[in-house]
């Protein structure tokens, strides 16, 4: 390894804007797949080829989090419009949120939110506030600033026996990332087909390529699956703002690795099967759970993890991974570099760009097989 492996500048690359996927492919498993099968070779495949690239006895570990309708539109009383993105619940009905424009939301500011109309699933409602029944109105007060994220703590005005979740279907919007500017995707296309644990503010995008038909084919080949939960939050996509990446502090994200999953992983390892994590969030959940144990062995775990994986990391559980193509200078690129090396990853990204792969959340995927893993 070199100094560039720990330098933020070492994770930069030029991506033509045309390579940023604005819509998902249909069907999901028809996306392209760059299969990295050794330290020096790769194949250009289709995602539905996955059963032929894995081996009987392998175990896929998937993140079953579901994206919340976490984007809310509102305004200050008789004032300008604001937009917020819920990040995590700090206390009952008290949420950390990213807000824009933040300068308009000082301590004590009140926000009145707007329910979405039937024809406004992707933006604020055009209804007048007075047209909303009193028992349907949603408001919140800014009670603090969060220095770590630049966000605000919002206390929602909801009866103590209720929760914000009951209002989100009416008021919230599924939040697509900011680089998706012109999408016709339906909200369900930004959910995995197995998503059932509500709590994320962004999708675990490597899982978006799977279909029920593909799972059936994997099962027929003897490739099993199991689930963890990591509710994707600010930790996954918060930018690195220090030149020395080892000084970056990850924001914690909530993880659950159930006992049944740990047992499945142990059984797979005992018979010589390989552990393939689907997405960087599944990687972080598994390795975060192992890091939380006294001997770094995988144990059932439920709680926050702030594990940051970058080159030089010693792997405990994960042997291979499926992942999308990530933003420059991101912690996600650093994690993948920890598995195959930064120069190799940048070479693969250059090849993917030359071969017209689609990047980011709705883009194509990369499979890193254990034989390609850097020692």
């Amino acid at each position: 390894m070199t100094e560039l492996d720990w330098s933020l500048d070492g994770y930069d690359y030029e991506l033509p804007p045309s390579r940023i996927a604005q819509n998902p492919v249909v069907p999901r498993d028809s996306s392209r797949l760059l299969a990295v099968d050794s330290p020096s070779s790769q194949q250009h495949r289709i995602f539905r080829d996955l059963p032929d690239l894995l081996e009987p006895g392998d175990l896929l570990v998937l993140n079953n989090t579901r994206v919340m309708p976490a984007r809310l539109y509102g305004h200050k009383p008789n004032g300008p419009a604001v937009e917020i993105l819920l990040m995590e619940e700090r206390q009952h009905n008290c949420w950390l949120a990213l807000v824009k424009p933040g300068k308009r939301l000082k301590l004590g500011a009140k926000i009145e939110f707007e329910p979405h109309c039937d024809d406004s699933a992707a933006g604020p409602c055009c209804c007048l506030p007075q047209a909303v029944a009193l028992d349907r109105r949603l408001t919140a007060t800014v009670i603090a600033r969060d220095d770590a994220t630049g966000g605000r703590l919002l206390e929602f005005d909801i009866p103590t026996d209720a929760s914000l979740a009951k209002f989100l279907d009416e008021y919230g919007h599924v939040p697509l990332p900011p680089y998706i500017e012109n999408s016709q995707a339906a909200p369900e296309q930004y959910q995995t087909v197995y998503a059932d644990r509500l709590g994320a503010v962004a999708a675990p995008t490597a899982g978006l390529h799977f279909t029920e038909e593909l799972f059936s084919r994997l099962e027929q080949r003897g490739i099993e699956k199991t689930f963890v939960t990591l509710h994707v939050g600010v930790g996954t996509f918060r930018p690195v703002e220090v030149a020395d990446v080892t000084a970056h502090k990850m924001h914690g994200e909530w993880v659950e690795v159930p006992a049944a999953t740990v047992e499945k992983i142990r059984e797979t390892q005992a018979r010589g099967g390989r552990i393939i994590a689907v997405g960087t969030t599944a990687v972080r959940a598994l390795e975060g759970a192992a890091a939380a144990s006294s001997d770094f062995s995988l144990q059932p775990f439920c709680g926050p993890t702030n594990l940051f994986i970058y080159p030089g990391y010693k792997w405990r559980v994960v042997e291979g991974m499926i992942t999308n193509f990530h933003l420059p200078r991101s912690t996600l690129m650093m994690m993948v570099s920890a598995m195959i090396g930064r120069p190799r990853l940048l070479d693969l990204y250059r090849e993917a760009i030359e071969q017209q792969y689609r990047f980011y959340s709705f883009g194509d995927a990369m499979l890193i097989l254990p034989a390609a893993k850097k020692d």
Side-chain angles (χ1 to χ4, degrees), residues 288-363:
S293 67
S294 58
D295 60 355
F296 296 100
S297 65
L298 183 63
Q299 304 291 336
F301 178 77
C302 184
T305 182
N306 61 358
L307 179 66
F308 179 23
I309 298 175
Y310 53 85
Y313 177 76
K314 183 177 180 180
W315 295 92
R316 314 289 180 180
V317 184
V318 176
E319 298 169 82
M321 67 186 299
I322 297 170
T323 186
N324 279 19
F325 295 92
H326 302 294
L327 274 72
R329 304 163 76 91
S330 64
T331 60
L332 307 181
M333 278 193 74
M334 296 164 196
M335 177 189 290
V336 183
S337 294
M339 181 164 281
I340 61 174
R342 184 189 58 83
R344 173 81 163 125
L345 180 66
L346 291 175
D347 285 344
L348 290 166
Y349 272 43
R350 280 190 286 269
E351 180 168 337
I353 293 170
E354 290 171 2
Q355 295 295 321
Q356 302 290 295
Y357 276 68
R358 303 163 72 250
F359 274 58
Y360 304 165
S361 296
F362 281 145

Side-chain angles (χ1 to χ4, degrees), residues 88 90 96-98 144-153 234 251:
E88 63 186 33
R90 292 289 179 85
L96 170 65
L98 301 183
R145 174 186 169 89
D146 184 67
D147 292 332
T149 62
R152 303 291 190 274
L153 289 179
V234 69
H251 191 82

Side-chain angles (χ1 to χ4, degrees), residues 53-277:
L53 296 165
L54 299 178
E55 297 178 0
D58 285 347
L59 178 66
L60 294 172
V61 183
L62 305 107
N63 181 8
N64 62 5
T65 191
R66 185 171 180 84
V67 184
M68 300 186 300
R71 178 163 284 134
L72 299 170
Y73 297 94
H75 60 273
K76 295 172 65 176
N78 302 315
V82 295
E83 177 184 334
I84 77 165
L85 178 64
L86 301 174
M87 300 304 298
E88 63 186 33
E89 189 172 28
R90 292 289 179 85
Q91 298 177 24
H92 184 59
N93 290 330
C94 182
W95 285 73
L96 170 65
L98 301 183
V99 301
K100 64 179 185 181
K103 63 183 179 181
R104 293 180 180 170
L105 294 178
K106 302 185 184 302
L107 295 187
K110 196 129 182 136
I111 310 170
E112 298 177 356
F113 295 101
E114 301 151 0
H116 49 70
C117 304
D118 292 341
D119 59 351
S120 63
C125 182
C126 58
C127 296
L128 295 174
Q130 56 265 34
V132 180
L134 285 174
D135 60 355
R136 288 177 53 217
R137 292 186 184 178
L138 180 65
T139 62
T141 303
V142 179
I143 61 172
R145 174 186 169 89
D146 184 67
D147 292 332
T149 62
R152 303 291 190 274
L153 289 179
L154 303 181
E155 186 174 70
F156 284 85
D157 304 314
I158 296 171
T160 55
D161 59 346
S163 69
L164 179 61
K166 66 174 289 187
F167 288 85
L168 289 182
D169 286 340
E170 186 172 2
Y171 281 83
H173 307 258
V174 171
L176 294 180
Y179 47 76
I180 298 179
E181 300 175 336
N182 183 27
S183 181
Q184 288 75 52
E188 202 60 27
Q189 289 180 284
Y190 193 57
Q191 306 279 10
T192 64
V193 298
Y194 48 84
D196 65 1
R197 299 288 301 278
L198 189 69
V201 300
T205 55
L208 295 178
H209 307 281
F210 285 88
T211 64
E212 294 298 348
E213 180 184 6
L214 180 56
F215 278 131
S216 296
R217 292 178 50 230
L218 287 162
E219 184 178 5
Q220 291 168 9
R221 185 160 161 74
I223 299 160
E224 299 185 358
K225 66 179 183 295
T226 190
F227 296 97
V228 295
T229 303
L230 183 144
H231 289 322
V232 186
V234 69
T236 291
F237 54 84
R238 183 183 176 197
V240 179
E241 298 175 336
V242 290
D244 178 359
V245 302
T246 65
H248 176 70
K249 302 298 182 185
M250 291 289 287
H251 191 82
E253 292 172 307
W254 188 88
V255 169
E256 182 176 5
V257 180
T261 294
V262 173
E263 184 61 27
K264 194 95 169 178
I265 289 172
R266 290 174 180 167
E267 290 173 357
T268 300
Q269 293 170 328
R271 64 170 182 263
R274 305 177 301 180
I275 309 303
I276 310 294

